PDB file of all heavy atoms in Angstrom:
ATOM      1  N   VAL A1654     142.718 -52.606 121.499  1.00  0.00           N
ATOM      2  CA  VAL A1654     141.295 -52.298 121.284  1.00  0.00           C
ATOM      3  C   VAL A1654     141.149 -50.901 120.611  1.00  0.00           C
ATOM      4  O   VAL A1654     140.373 -50.862 119.622  1.00  0.00           O
ATOM      5  CB  VAL A1654     140.558 -52.336 122.628  1.00  0.00           C
ATOM      6  CG1 VAL A1654     139.123 -51.696 122.406  1.00  0.00           C
ATOM      7  CG2 VAL A1654     140.433 -53.758 123.237  1.00  0.00           C
ATOM      8  N   ALA A1655     141.929 -49.962 121.068  1.00  0.00           N
ATOM      9  CA  ALA A1655     141.896 -48.701 120.433  1.00  0.00           C
ATOM     10  C   ALA A1655     142.231 -48.724 118.987  1.00  0.00           C
ATOM     11  O   ALA A1655     141.726 -48.056 118.129  1.00  0.00           O
ATOM     12  CB  ALA A1655     142.827 -47.686 121.191  1.00  0.00           C
ATOM     13  N   SER A1656     143.275 -49.546 118.653  1.00  0.00           N
ATOM     14  CA  SER A1656     143.843 -49.697 117.339  1.00  0.00           C
ATOM     15  C   SER A1656     142.786 -50.322 116.388  1.00  0.00           C
ATOM     16  O   SER A1656     142.498 -49.879 115.277  1.00  0.00           O
ATOM     17  CB  SER A1656     145.076 -50.564 117.335  1.00  0.00           C
ATOM     18  OG  SER A1656     146.050 -49.986 118.129  1.00  0.00           O
ATOM     19  N   CYS A1657     141.984 -51.327 116.913  1.00  0.00           N
ATOM     20  CA  CYS A1657     140.997 -51.963 116.203  1.00  0.00           C
ATOM     21  C   CYS A1657     139.747 -51.036 116.003  1.00  0.00           C
ATOM     22  O   CYS A1657     139.125 -51.034 114.850  1.00  0.00           O
ATOM     23  CB  CYS A1657     140.646 -53.322 116.859  1.00  0.00           C
ATOM     24  SG  CYS A1657     141.819 -54.580 116.806  1.00  0.00           S
ATOM     25  N   LEU A1658     139.470 -50.211 116.980  1.00  0.00           N
ATOM     26  CA  LEU A1658     138.371 -49.238 116.831  1.00  0.00           C
ATOM     27  C   LEU A1658     138.750 -48.180 115.777  1.00  0.00           C
ATOM     28  O   LEU A1658     137.853 -47.653 115.134  1.00  0.00           O
ATOM     29  CB  LEU A1658     138.063 -48.662 118.177  1.00  0.00           C
ATOM     30  CG  LEU A1658     137.493 -49.541 119.340  1.00  0.00           C
ATOM     31  CD1 LEU A1658     137.361 -48.870 120.658  1.00  0.00           C
ATOM     32  CD2 LEU A1658     136.077 -50.066 118.828  1.00  0.00           C
ATOM     33  N   HIS A1659     139.996 -47.855 115.728  1.00  0.00           N
ATOM     34  CA  HIS A1659     140.420 -46.878 114.669  1.00  0.00           C
ATOM     35  C   HIS A1659     140.030 -47.419 113.277  1.00  0.00           C
ATOM     36  O   HIS A1659     139.741 -46.627 112.403  1.00  0.00           O
ATOM     37  CB  HIS A1659     141.915 -46.707 114.784  1.00  0.00           C
ATOM     38  CG  HIS A1659     142.473 -46.086 113.511  1.00  0.00           C
ATOM     39  ND1 HIS A1659     142.332 -44.799 113.109  1.00  0.00           N
ATOM     40  CD2 HIS A1659     143.266 -46.736 112.501  1.00  0.00           C
ATOM     41  CE1 HIS A1659     142.924 -44.604 111.888  1.00  0.00           C
ATOM     42  NE2 HIS A1659     143.477 -45.798 111.581  1.00  0.00           N
ATOM     43  N   ASN A1660     140.124 -48.721 113.109  1.00  0.00           N
ATOM     44  CA  ASN A1660     139.827 -49.288 111.835  1.00  0.00           C
ATOM     45  C   ASN A1660     138.377 -49.076 111.273  1.00  0.00           C
ATOM     46  O   ASN A1660     137.982 -49.350 110.243  1.00  0.00           O
ATOM     47  CB  ASN A1660     140.190 -50.898 111.712  1.00  0.00           C
ATOM     48  CG  ASN A1660     141.721 -50.994 111.660  1.00  0.00           C
ATOM     49  OD1 ASN A1660     142.535 -50.072 111.438  1.00  0.00           O
ATOM     50  ND2 ASN A1660     142.159 -52.267 111.901  1.00  0.00           N
ATOM     51  N   PHE A1661     137.495 -48.703 112.279  1.00  0.00           N
ATOM     52  CA  PHE A1661     136.119 -48.436 111.888  1.00  0.00           C
ATOM     53  C   PHE A1661     135.995 -47.001 111.318  1.00  0.00           C
ATOM     54  O   PHE A1661     135.026 -46.686 110.726  1.00  0.00           O
ATOM     55  CB  PHE A1661     135.189 -48.471 113.115  1.00  0.00           C
ATOM     56  CG  PHE A1661     134.964 -49.842 113.580  1.00  0.00           C
ATOM     57  CD1 PHE A1661     135.740 -50.551 114.374  1.00  0.00           C
ATOM     58  CD2 PHE A1661     133.745 -50.477 113.196  1.00  0.00           C
ATOM     59  CE1 PHE A1661     135.455 -51.911 114.826  1.00  0.00           C
ATOM     60  CE2 PHE A1661     133.398 -51.794 113.588  1.00  0.00           C
ATOM     61  CZ  PHE A1661     134.306 -52.523 114.372  1.00  0.00           C
ATOM     62  N   THR A1662     136.972 -46.152 111.472  1.00  0.00           N
ATOM     63  CA  THR A1662     136.946 -44.755 110.946  1.00  0.00           C
ATOM     64  C   THR A1662     137.450 -44.727 109.474  1.00  0.00           C
ATOM     65  O   THR A1662     138.139 -45.639 108.972  1.00  0.00           O
ATOM     66  CB  THR A1662     137.750 -43.886 111.855  1.00  0.00           C
ATOM     67  OG1 THR A1662     139.185 -44.239 111.790  1.00  0.00           O
ATOM     68  CG2 THR A1662     137.285 -43.983 113.299  1.00  0.00           C
ATOM     69  N   LYS A1663     137.131 -43.607 108.815  1.00  0.00           N
ATOM     70  CA  LYS A1663     137.596 -43.401 107.470  1.00  0.00           C
ATOM     71  C   LYS A1663     139.049 -42.806 107.583  1.00  0.00           C
ATOM     72  O   LYS A1663     139.324 -41.954 108.349  1.00  0.00           O
ATOM     73  CB  LYS A1663     136.649 -42.459 106.792  1.00  0.00           C
ATOM     74  CG  LYS A1663     135.350 -42.954 106.487  1.00  0.00           C
ATOM     75  CD  LYS A1663     134.433 -41.891 105.712  1.00  0.00           C
ATOM     76  CE  LYS A1663     133.160 -42.426 105.369  1.00  0.00           C
ATOM     77  NZ  LYS A1663     132.280 -41.488 104.662  1.00  0.00           N
ATOM     78  N   CYS A1664     139.863 -43.370 106.665  1.00  0.00           N
ATOM     79  CA  CYS A1664     141.256 -43.000 106.697  1.00  0.00           C
ATOM     80  C   CYS A1664     141.568 -42.269 105.420  1.00  0.00           C
ATOM     81  O   CYS A1664     141.230 -42.616 104.274  1.00  0.00           O
ATOM     82  CB  CYS A1664     142.128 -44.203 106.659  1.00  0.00           C
ATOM     83  SG  CYS A1664     141.946 -45.171 108.212  1.00  0.00           S
ATOM     84  N   TYR A1665     142.237 -41.014 105.538  1.00  0.00           N
ATOM     85  CA  TYR A1665     142.596 -40.299 104.419  1.00  0.00           C
ATOM     86  C   TYR A1665     144.030 -40.647 103.997  1.00  0.00           C
ATOM     87  O   TYR A1665     144.951 -40.709 104.593  1.00  0.00           O
ATOM     88  CB  TYR A1665     142.601 -38.775 104.676  1.00  0.00           C
ATOM     89  CG  TYR A1665     143.237 -37.906 103.571  1.00  0.00           C
ATOM     90  CD1 TYR A1665     142.441 -37.730 102.367  1.00  0.00           C
ATOM     91  CD2 TYR A1665     144.516 -37.473 103.626  1.00  0.00           C
ATOM     92  CE1 TYR A1665     143.066 -36.975 101.369  1.00  0.00           C
ATOM     93  CE2 TYR A1665     145.084 -36.746 102.557  1.00  0.00           C
ATOM     94  CZ  TYR A1665     144.367 -36.512 101.417  1.00  0.00           C
ATOM     95  OH  TYR A1665     144.962 -35.804 100.447  1.00  0.00           O
TER      96      TYR A1665
END
Side-chain angles (χ1 to χ4, degrees):
V1654 168
S1656 301
C1657 291
L1658 292 174
H1659 159 74
N1660 286 349
F1661 282 85
T1662 64
K1663 293 182 179 179
C1664 303
Y1665 170 78

